[in-house]
Amino acid sequence: MLVRLDGNGRLNQRLYRGLRAAIREGRFAPGSRLPSTRSLARDLGLSRNVVLTAFAQLVDEGYAEGRGGSGTFVSSTLPDPLLAPSPYGARTKAPEAHPRLSAHADRVLALAPLPAVGRPPRAGLRYDFRYGVPAVAEFPQQIWSRLVARRARRMSINTLRYGRALGFSPLCEAIADYVRRARGVAATAEQVIIVNGSQQALDLVARLLIDRGARVAIEEPAYLSARQVFAAAGASLLPVPVDEHGIDVSQLPHGKDVRLAYVTPSHQFPLGGVLPLGRRLELLRWADEAGGWVVEDDYDSEFWYDGRPVEAIQGLDSTGRVIYIGTLSKVLFPSLRLGYLIAPEPIVPALAALKFLMDRHAPTFEQEVLADFITEGHFERHVRRARARNASRRAAMLDSFRELLGDRVEIVGENAGIHMVVWLRGTPAACMHDLIARAADRGLGIYSVAPHYLEPPATTGLLLGYACLTEREIRDGVRLLAEVIETLGK
Ligand SMILES: Cc1ncc(COP(=O)(O)O)c(C=O)c1O
């Protein structure tokens, strides 16, 4: 705490005035504890007697009060009401209502608000079908805390100093090894960049490739947070239709000025199509011809249910035009804020430099714990268990909808991931608001798919996550939803 000692007079008088000013300005709030006389004397290089004398004067004048052995406190009522504290650094002029900002900030402010994913859950929901959230309660917390404690005990100077911009090397190796085996990604550890969630990976990609006005092909509908990153970077967005198999590659825009195509081929977000091999190869041909990039967001590929998952497009790429993004948000927990970007070698130095400018590197300690978690086998064991549990929950969703709503709904995107889209046949999109409100009144959390569209759909579509609910809760929740749908229009 800064206490001014300026002006004339003896030191105890100068200190008294400095402390009084701090109290009047509210820097020491009414009722708060003043620093101890010993620590203040040490910090200001004064004798303790000087400080004791200044404190005594504050107490005498009613600015402070001693409380036995627990220290000296700022009085709750100051001696002169006119001297009531004004906020520290009180303004003499109202702040400018619309200060001039960068074009980037203006574009960000003009974006539609983000959907529910970043907001805290609404209180009082009995069944919350919030999408995108894994079963965090089933995360193996005991194992994780054991690894945290072990790393904390052995923390070395290397953990404490700045780390590598690209990430903690053993973690990069563990990730490269995992995606090679699990996703068919062809990469060395040197191509892996540890990022603070895929959101940062998307931002890095935008900084790397997008100049204002650059053309970006994007799925329609698409993951809103990706679309917004590219829009914020000033890209001109070219929506490409999506069908039950994912992006319709034949409709990709042609021309050398299309910088990239953002795709979610394992489980199109939000509609859930799995991109067939033929389209994957066509997409790579497109990138090669256009001199563009494929940004492959593989956000929930750990959760597949029928047969084996299709391998990542990155593994099929022979021309180095795919930037692969993975996250731990859906398999571990989203607040971990760790993900990875796997890039062709020639662009790794630029990405490392961008990452370094942005935040130096991801926190080392968490990366160390995660590296242990993966290399000691806990990660894949957890993925296998989570997949089995999610498979049962998915089955409960499908059974319940079939039984309770039958032909009234059409379900898409159920073959992978931890969400599905449920279209309410014959229910116009205009009913969505009412439906969500009525559901919330009954303790049911449901979400619209519409924010992920540039051109909102005509029918009511729900984007429902199920990983956080038990099978019982899913059945009860869908029953409640069926009842709420029944009341629509009444
Ligand atoms: C398509 C898609 N990509 C990425 C993510 C994960 O983002 P992050 O890694 O920043 O938590 C999500 C989460 O909802 C998503 O739906």
Side-chain angles (χ1 to χ4, degrees):
M1 171 61 72
L2 181 70
V3 179
R4 289 190 302 268
L5 289 178
D6 43 13
N8 301 323
R10 300 222 305 269
L11 271 176
N12 61 309
Q13 272 302 305
R14 283 155 59 186
L15 177 60
Y16 156 77
R17 284 199 304 267
L19 287 167
R20 191 184 60 179
I23 292 172
R24 284 176 172 178
E25 288 165 7
R27 284 187 278 144
F28 290 124
S32 68
R33 196 171 182 278
L34 287 170
S36 75
T37 50
R38 214 179 291 276
S39 66
L40 205 56
R42 193 189 49 234
D43 292 350
L44 297 175
L46 301 173
S47 88
R48 186 148 171 255
N49 266 343
V50 166
V51 181
L52 284 169
T53 314
F55 269 43
Q57 189 170 351
L58 288 172
V59 171
D60 284 349
E61 293 184 4
Y63 288 101
E65 53 201 27
R67 287 195 202 151
S70 52
T72 307
F73 290 76
V74 178
S75 301
S76 346
T77 354
L78 294 182
D80 182 343
L82 289 177
L83 301 178
S86 58
Y88 177 45
R91 298 187 179 102
T92 51
K93 202 173 154 196
E96 213 183 319
H98 301 289
R100 191 163 153 237
L101 304 176
S102 69
H104 183 92
D106 285 341
R107 285 193 296 268
V108 170
L109 289 174
L111 296 171
L114 286 176
V117 74
R119 280 185 241 135
R122 191 178 157 148
L125 291 181
R126 272 185 296 159
Y127 311 107
D128 191 0
F129 287 89
R130 172 181 280 245
Y131 63 93
V133 188
V136 278
E138 288 157 7
F139 174 70
Q141 206 175 333
Q142 279 190 339
I143 297 174
W144 186 263
S145 54
R146 188 159 46 75
L147 300 183
V148 167
R150 193 177 68 195
R151 275 286 176 182
R153 273 197 307 275
R154 296 182 192 164
M155 205 187 257
S156 75
I157 198 94
N158 286 333
T159 310
L160 302 179
R161 51 166 70 116
Y162 284 115
R164 225 174 134 246
L166 295 172
F168 178 54
S169 293
L171 178 60
C172 294
E173 274 159 34
I175 296 283
D177 181 51
Y178 166 68
V179 292
R180 254 195 313 267
R181 278 181 294 107
R183 303 291 308 120
V185 167
T188 64
E190 285 66 44
Q191 290 171 258
V192 177
I193 300 159
I194 305 296
V195 288
N196 297 332
S198 25
Q199 198 58 33
Q200 188 179 48
L202 292 167
D203 196 44
L204 283 169
V205 167
R207 286 167 198 258
L208 182 80
L209 300 175
I210 305 301
D211 290 311
R212 196 149 181 227
R215 299 188 340 135
V216 164
I218 189 133
E219 296 168 330
E220 168 65 352
Y223 178 44
L224 177 60
S225 302
R227 199 168 67 217
Q228 294 196 329
V229 163
F230 296 123
S236 150
L237 299 179
L238 309 169
V240 182
V242 160
D243 61 20
E244 70 272 29
H245 303 297
I247 189 166
D248 181 353
V249 185
S250 69
Q251 299 204 44
L252 276 167
H254 284 277
K256 290 278 176 209
D257 59 339
V258 185
R259 296 293 283 146
L260 65 91
Y262 166 80
V263 289
T264 47
S266 300
H267 187 222
Q268 200 278 328
F269 191 91
L271 296 185
V274 180
L275 203 67
L277 184 63
R279 287 199 192 181
R280 290 171 187 244
L281 295 171
E282 215 181 307
L283 187 58
L284 286 172
R285 246 191 322 273
W286 168 86
D288 193 26
E289 278 165 26
W293 299 84
V294 174
V295 178
E296 177 174 24
D297 183 354
D298 211 16
Y299 65 106
D300 70 359
S301 58
E302 285 79 8
F303 303 123
W304 40 267
Y305 306 112
D306 289 327
R308 295 269 324 151
V310 184
E311 71 180 42
I313 297 182
Q314 197 275 359
L316 303 168
D317 174 30
S318 56
T319 54
R321 303 229 64 100
V322 177
I323 300 174
Y324 177 88
I325 297 174
T327 180
L328 294 145
S329 292
K330 310 288 159 204
V331 254
L332 297 183
F333 53 101
S335 74
L336 182 61
R337 302 314 304 136
L338 286 177
Y340 41 93
L341 186 153
I342 299 182
E345 280 109 347
I347 58 172
V348 171
L351 283 165
L354 286 167
K355 171 77 180 154
F356 184 76
L357 272 188
M358 198 183 275
D359 61 3
R360 300 294 185 258
H361 58 80
T364 303
F365 185 76
E366 282 78 357
Q367 293 188 72
E368 289 179 342
V369 175
L370 179 60
D372 293 345
F373 193 75
I374 297 175
T375 52
E376 292 173 26
H378 307 299
F379 178 70
E380 280 170 77
R381 201 168 309 123
H382 171 61
V383 170
R384 276 196 300 278
R385 289 183 183 153
R387 186 185 302 132
R389 282 191 294 258
N390 287 338
S392 308
R393 288 167 190 165
R394 164 185 175 265
M397 285 286 277
L398 293 175
D399 289 349
S400 308
F401 273 105
R402 215 168 282 137
E403 187 190 321
L404 296 161
L405 284 154
D407 286 347
R408 290 205 59 185
V409 295
E410 182 193 354
I411 297 181
V412 300
E414 75 282 16
N415 284 333
I418 49 175
H419 73 264
M420 49 185 75
V421 171
V422 178
W423 294 106
L424 305 190
R425 287 200 172 104
T427 309
C431 297
M432 179 62 85
H433 188 69
D434 191 24
L435 180 66
I436 290 176
R438 286 180 191 222
D441 286 346
R442 308 271 314 261
L444 181 65
I446 52 172
Y447 302 87
S448 168
V449 74
H452 298 280
Y453 281 81
L454 273 174
E455 201 55 58
T459 312
T460 291
L462 298 174
L463 173 53
L464 302 180
Y466 50 82
C468 286
L469 297 167
T470 63
E471 289 155 56
R472 175 75 195 267
E473 287 169 334
I474 288 172
R475 269 190 280 278
D476 292 348
V478 176
R479 182 164 299 114
L480 202 50
L481 176 60
E483 286 171 22
V484 175
I485 291 173
E486 210 46 55
T487 69
L488 270 186
K490 291 185 185 157

